[in-house]
Amino acid sequence: MLDVSGVSWAVPAARILDRVTCTAPAGSLVGLLGPNGSGKTTLLRVVAGLLRPTSGQVTIDGDAVARLRRLAVARRIALLAQHAETDLDLTVLDVVLLGRIPHQRSRWSDSDTERARAVEVLAHVDLTGFEHRKWQTLSGGERQRVQLARALAQEPELLLLDEPTNHLDIGHQLQLLHLVRRAGITTLAALHDLNLAAMFCDTVVVLDAGRVVAAGAPEQVLTPALLADVFGVEAEVGTHDGRTVIHYRPPAA
Amino acid sequence: MVRATGRAVVLVVLTVGLLASVGVAVTVGPADLSIGTVWLVVADHLGLARSDVPPLREHIVWDLRLPRVLGAAAVGAGLAAAGAVMQTVIRNPLADPYLLGVSSGASLGAVLVIVAGVGSGVVAVGGGAFVGALTAFAAVVAVAGRRAALAPTRVVLMGVAVAQLCAALTSFVIIWVGDPHATQSITFWLSGSLARAGWAELAWAAPVLVAVLGLVGWHARALDAFAFGEEAAATLGVDVIRVRWLLLVATALLTAVLVAMSGAIGFVGLIMPHAARLLTGPDHRRLLPVVALAGAIFLIWVDTAARTLFEPRELPVGVLTALLGVPAFVILLRRREVRG
Ligand SMILES: Nc1ncnc2c1ncn2[C@@H]1O[C@H](COP(=O)(O)OP(=O)(O)O)[C@@H](O)[C@H]1O
Ligand SMILES: [Mg+2]
């Protein structure tokens, strides 16, 4: 259970997050929506303990993240960052085993249990047999799934995803969110695609200029008025097979 | 388990290779010595056996060649390991131990000691180099480390600036003084040489080397966590700022001690980590022991070549490492381009 209450984060020139409050009940998938620059990444970084809120607080199962040690945070919260790049010649197994670092007892070697765990999470993201493939040779979708496996190997209570479906084709977008759902871990995910958010999220939180402008079930939040207001688009919102569906209209000439 | 065995085999081979290199390299040189003689002298000094080796030969083995070969091993191991750590912590594959201005600071310190007439003795010059190296590093950190984070880009830029400044000051002092004797000894020193490595220098360098290698090895997994950047490392539980400070200061200290002994021997710290990674992959638990052993063996042989190839003239070993290092560097860059 994640609880963000009254969190602000400011740089001298501007207040990037303004008294953000939201929650993610245990086991739920919460979508974090908002236009570019609205503060999604910043909020995820605050929740991950990478930034210290100027005011307000983030708690995970009642413990204030800002008061936990780095290692304790790493054992409980995993972040899938927007960009994951490396120059190194890592194998898929190397990458997934990075997720074991916060739990590792031995400094010198990976135990058999840890390797087994890595193989298990690779199976979860449908990458069985990829252990010895080189990271540099993977496609974007495979890399994203490997990073998800790394995050799952961390055995977190809370999963933070920053635009996890970026650069993926539609099939892989659906697959990735499906895998996240299947993992059953409390998740806060910054998403761009509102239809995907409506399809997979239990609740959504909409940020605009660092403030929460709406929060709740997707079908209640994603109204034409809100879409016009926050994203500046004209759209119709309907339901199809019991799912919320958004149809965008081209901008008026 | 195949992998664990493979790892042990590599380490055993390299360790045996290092011991053999030391033993054989000591025999190479103008005075003909056999491995047996070397062994007898060493055993005698360690109190394991009595030797009847003539004093002159004993002197050559114990006072001249052995400390020099061990010095080469220490400098090679230290620079190679320091380079591997720097490349990870600064997140730049082209980083080397001299990136923080340490070598140019050392040169300036040594030059100042020589021209000030404090003495041209090994201890005085080495001491000047050590102080110069640490001063340069402190200057880099003082400016780049504002807000305590030691952001890699700032560290690199400041390192370059301080190195340029020290080099300019060194040239200025050399030209200002115009003493050909001083100029000669400085030139030799600037290109790097193990000719002055003796037991006294080793007594300083060895404990620092052991301590820093131990510290770095202790943080091997934390270094692995930097693979996808420092934020990723932080989310894996690494205290990025603490680890970066600790390892940068430790490698700078080690580099300063080594540079004080041998001058600035280039390319070892840049190339050896890449060569070792070809063998071990990027995992620091495997990389660090291998890179240190390989660096030691490499520099032993390059130094042996430097002192014997053009007998009786001696080539500064730094000239030879550069001659080997530049082509290796070009190959490295091409590999990177091919990979994209
Ligand atoms: N360290 C920083 N200093 C100044 N401005 C920042 C900093 N970090 C983020 N911002 C600004 O905060 C706003 C929100 O950024 P971000 O959280 O990345 O938005 P999003 O992820 O929703 O696109 C942007 O306008 C960005 O320029
Ligand atoms: Mg963002």
Side-chain angles (χ1 to χ4, degrees), chain B residues 234-292:
Chain B
T235 62
L236 292 173
V238 175
D239 186 340
V240 169
I241 291 175
R242 188 188 67 85
V243 167
R244 194 156 58 194
W245 266 98
L246 192 65
L247 296 185
L248 283 185
V249 170
T251 50
L253 181 70
L254 174 60
T255 310
V257 171
L258 299 177
V259 166
M261 169 155 74
S262 66
I265 299 175
F267 287 96
V268 179
L270 174 63
I271 298 296
M272 287 316 287
H274 291 285
R277 270 189 218 104
L278 290 179
L279 197 64
T280 65
D283 187 324
H284 288 82
R285 295 169 297 183
R286 270 175 274 158
L287 170 65
L288 290 172
V290 167
V291 79

Side-chain angles (χ1 to χ4, degrees), chain B residues 63-64 67-69 71-72 122 193-202 261:
Chain B
D63 297 323
L64 300 180
R68 176 164 184 164
V69 169
V122 169
S193 161
L194 286 151
R196 286 180 316 270
W199 289 114
E201 287 72 38
L202 274 174
M261 169 155 74

